[in-house]
Amino acid sequence: MKFLIRPTSKQAAALAQCLEDHRQLYNAALEHRRTAYRKAGVTIGYGEQSAELKEIRKTDPDGQGRWSAGSQQQTLRRLDKAFAAFFRRIKAGHKAGYPRFKGRGRFDTVEWPATKNGASWDSQPHEPATRVYLLGIGHVRVHQHRAVKGRVKTISVKRDGARWYLVLSCDDVPAEPLPATGAVAGIDLGVASLFTTSDGEHVAGPRHLLTTADRLADAQRDLCRKERGSERRRKAVARVAALHAKVRRQRLDTAHKAALTLVRGYDVIVHEDLRIANMTRSASGTIEQPGRNVAQKAGLNRSILDAGWGVLLRVLAYKAESAGRELIAVEPRNTSRTCSRCGHCARDNRLTQAAFRCLGCGHAAHADVNAAINILRAGLALRQAAEAA
């Protein structure tokens, strides 16, 4: 659960300093691991670094010593997870991606265990306003717009531009399944429409980035004219960040509303298992092999990312789980080229972005509706095969 928090100016300054000290701890722990392995071939883990926290806090009482030891342990665990992912990628033969030092602005989250270790949710229940207690910062007011269900496990504070957010992770959250509808649907994600259902419903996707493009371009041009390190440049950076943050919030809001519509209307929802990172890869190529239609591909990439397919699928996944709905992902290959009536597959079946006419049987339909029907059938076939196994 994510809530906006409203710290006082003094609390905001303390939160910023807390982030900075945890960033320095993260970087120091990373340097410790690198140096130990490079100089002596010794691998340092979380256990050794966590054991040294007591001495670090003792020698730096006005710095690291003023924050919760629990939150510092969570920061060290964060580094340990980065190394675990690094070794896992090496073992799988993927691009390794060695953990990097966090620069200013690249470390915006601190996490506390919610077990009397420097943080406490709803710390002053007798007050009308909800507050969270953070050691070294105080009781910070929370804009709690909905009830917290389950047992709070961890408390995180995240900085997003000029705003601060509280993120709660909870255990033992009661399930709230929705009543069965008996309906199933396949959805085809698109650019012209956010998605199209196999029932023929088109849900428009507001182009939030496109709407803000002019203002964003002006802000970025203004940023380029500012001298590095100046106060005016810092303010210009904040303006650009605020515009991007607004687009991000709008896209997330759209995804929540669309996902809620789907889980309320259907018991089974089938979607394409899209690899969005591959779909939006640059087409510029290399000097030896330059890409083709680079500007066109760049525009398509921008439209795909603006549509927010990844955000929608992520939100849909946890809403479906909470509502007791079944979500099935299917292979997207040829779903838009195959006739939903006779099964004939050909590239020329799809005449335009919106028009589909089968060369085999002459079936004509909206291309996205035809694809959504194919997606639904593939999902139901997978479901039937899983039940029979």
Side-chain angles (χ1 to χ4, degrees), residues 7 22 33 67 78 91 111 113 116 119 154 225 228 255 258 272 291 323 328 343 345 358 362:
H22 280 75
R33 290 191 182 214
W67 310 117
R78 177 175 171 178
K91 188 175 181 180
E111 182 178 300
K116 298 182 180 179
T154 64
R225 290 192 289 265
R228 288 188 176 274
E272 299 165 288
I328 304 174
C345 179
C358 178

Side-chain angles (χ1 to χ4, degrees), residues 246-267:
K246 181 178 180 180
V247 171
R248 189 163 58 248
R249 291 194 301 270
Q250 289 174 328
R251 193 176 289 134
L252 182 61
D253 180 67
T254 298
H256 273 284
K257 292 175 180 176
L260 187 59
T261 300
L262 287 170
V263 299
R264 283 177 174 173
Y266 302 100
D267 291 342

Side-chain angles (χ1 to χ4, degrees), residues 72-89:
Q72 292 169 332
Q73 288 172 339
Q74 294 295 91
T75 297
L76 294 179
R77 286 192 180 98
R78 177 175 171 178
L79 176 63
D80 195 60
K81 289 177 182 177
F83 271 96
F86 166 69
F87 291 121
R88 184 169 61 249
R89 288 190 294 269

Side-chain angles (χ1 to χ4, degrees), residues 179-249:
T181 64
V184 296
I187 60 171
D188 178 63
L189 301 176
V191 173
S193 300
L194 177 58
F195 65 82
T196 301
T197 70
S198 53
D199 296 337
E201 181 183 357
H202 300 273
V203 175
R207 306 287 293 278
H208 299 299
L209 183 60
L210 183 62
T211 304
T212 320
D214 292 339
R215 294 173 60 199
L216 188 57
D218 290 341
Q220 288 173 330
R221 278 193 294 268
D222 186 52
L223 171 61
C224 290
R225 290 192 289 265
K226 299 296 185 287
E227 183 180 353
R228 288 188 176 274
S230 66
E231 181 66 16
R232 289 186 178 183
R233 182 178 176 86
R234 187 188 66 78
K235 292 181 179 179
V237 169
R239 282 194 293 271
V240 173
L243 287 172
H244 278 296
K246 181 178 180 180
V247 171
R248 189 163 58 248
R249 291 194 301 270

Side-chain angles (χ1 to χ4, degrees), residues 19-20 23-24 26-27 30 78 100-108 159:
L19 284 179
E20 175 61 18
R23 181 184 75 88
Q24 292 180 7
Y26 182 97
N27 287 343
L30 174 56
R78 177 175 171 178
R100 295 185 290 181
F101 292 101
K102 300 293 184 180
R104 292 182 182 273
R106 296 289 182 180
F107 193 96
D108 288 330
R159 179 174 57 191

Side-chain angles (χ1 to χ4, degrees), residues 98-375:
Y98 189 82
R100 295 185 290 181
F101 292 101
K102 300 293 184 180
R104 292 182 182 273
R106 296 289 182 180
F107 193 96
D108 288 330
T109 304
V110 174
E111 182 178 300
W112 289 261
T115 52
K116 298 182 180 179
N117 200 339
S120 176
W121 166 247
D122 197 10
S123 57
Q124 295 178 326
H126 57 279
E127 285 194 5
T130 305
R131 294 182 183 273
V132 60
Y133 173 74
L134 305 172
L135 181 65
I137 297 162
H139 299 271
V140 185
R141 188 159 66 95
V142 181
H143 181 70
Q144 186 183 355
H145 60 276
R146 58 175 174 156
V148 174
K149 299 178 181 178
R151 177 175 54 85
V152 177
K153 182 180 179 182
T154 64
I155 297 173
S156 302
V157 170
K158 179 180 177 63
R159 179 174 57 191
D160 187 357
R163 300 188 179 202
W164 294 90
Y165 290 94
L166 184 76
V167 182
L168 305 178
S169 65
C170 302
D171 281 343
D172 305 324
V173 179
E176 297 180 346
L178 295 175
T181 64
V184 296
I187 60 171
D188 178 63
L189 301 176
V191 173
S193 300
L194 177 58
F195 65 82
T196 301
T197 70
S198 53
D199 296 337
E201 181 183 357
H202 300 273
V203 175
R207 306 287 293 278
H208 299 299
L209 183 60
L210 183 62
T211 304
T212 320
D214 292 339
R215 294 173 60 199
L216 188 57
D218 290 341
Q220 288 173 330
R221 278 193 294 268
D222 186 52
L223 171 61
C224 290
R225 290 192 289 265
K226 299 296 185 287
E227 183 180 353
R228 288 188 176 274
S230 66
E231 181 66 16
R232 289 186 178 183
R233 182 178 176 86
R234 187 188 66 78
K235 292 181 179 179
V237 169
R239 282 194 293 271
V240 173
L243 287 172
H244 278 296
K246 181 178 180 180
V247 171
R248 189 163 58 248
R249 291 194 301 270
Q250 289 174 328
R251 193 176 289 134
L252 182 61
D253 180 67
T254 298
H256 273 284
K257 292 175 180 176
L260 187 59
T261 300
L262 287 170
V263 299
R264 283 177 174 173
Y266 302 100
D267 291 342
V268 179
I269 304 164
V270 187
H271 66 87
E272 299 165 288
D273 188 13
L274 298 176
R275 299 292 185 265
I276 300 172
N278 294 340
M279 295 174 66
T280 55
R281 190 168 292 164
S282 173
S284 58
T286 63
I287 296 177
E288 295 78 11
Q289 294 182 335
R292 295 181 298 173
N293 301 323
V294 175
Q296 182 180 357
K297 182 63 169 66
L300 177 61
N301 290 352
R302 192 160 45 247
S303 297
I304 290 173
L305 295 173
D306 193 14
W309 296 347
V311 178
L312 173 61
L313 292 178
R314 185 174 69 251
V315 172
L316 180 60
Y318 70 72
K319 282 190 180 293
E321 182 179 3
S322 176
R325 302 309 199 201
E326 186 175 358
L327 196 63
I328 304 174
V330 300
E331 168 64 44
R333 186 178 304 164
N334 291 327
T335 53
S336 61
R337 299 177 178 180
T338 302
C339 177
S340 59
R341 177 174 291 178
C342 71
H344 178 260
C345 179
R347 180 176 183 178
D348 294 334
N349 280 350
R350 188 160 187 171
L351 303 175
T352 65
Q353 180 67 26
F356 180 92
R357 181 178 293 277
C358 178
L359 299 178
C361 68
H363 171 63
H366 192 286
D368 293 341
V369 175
N370 178 80
I373 294 173
N374 289 329
I375 291 168

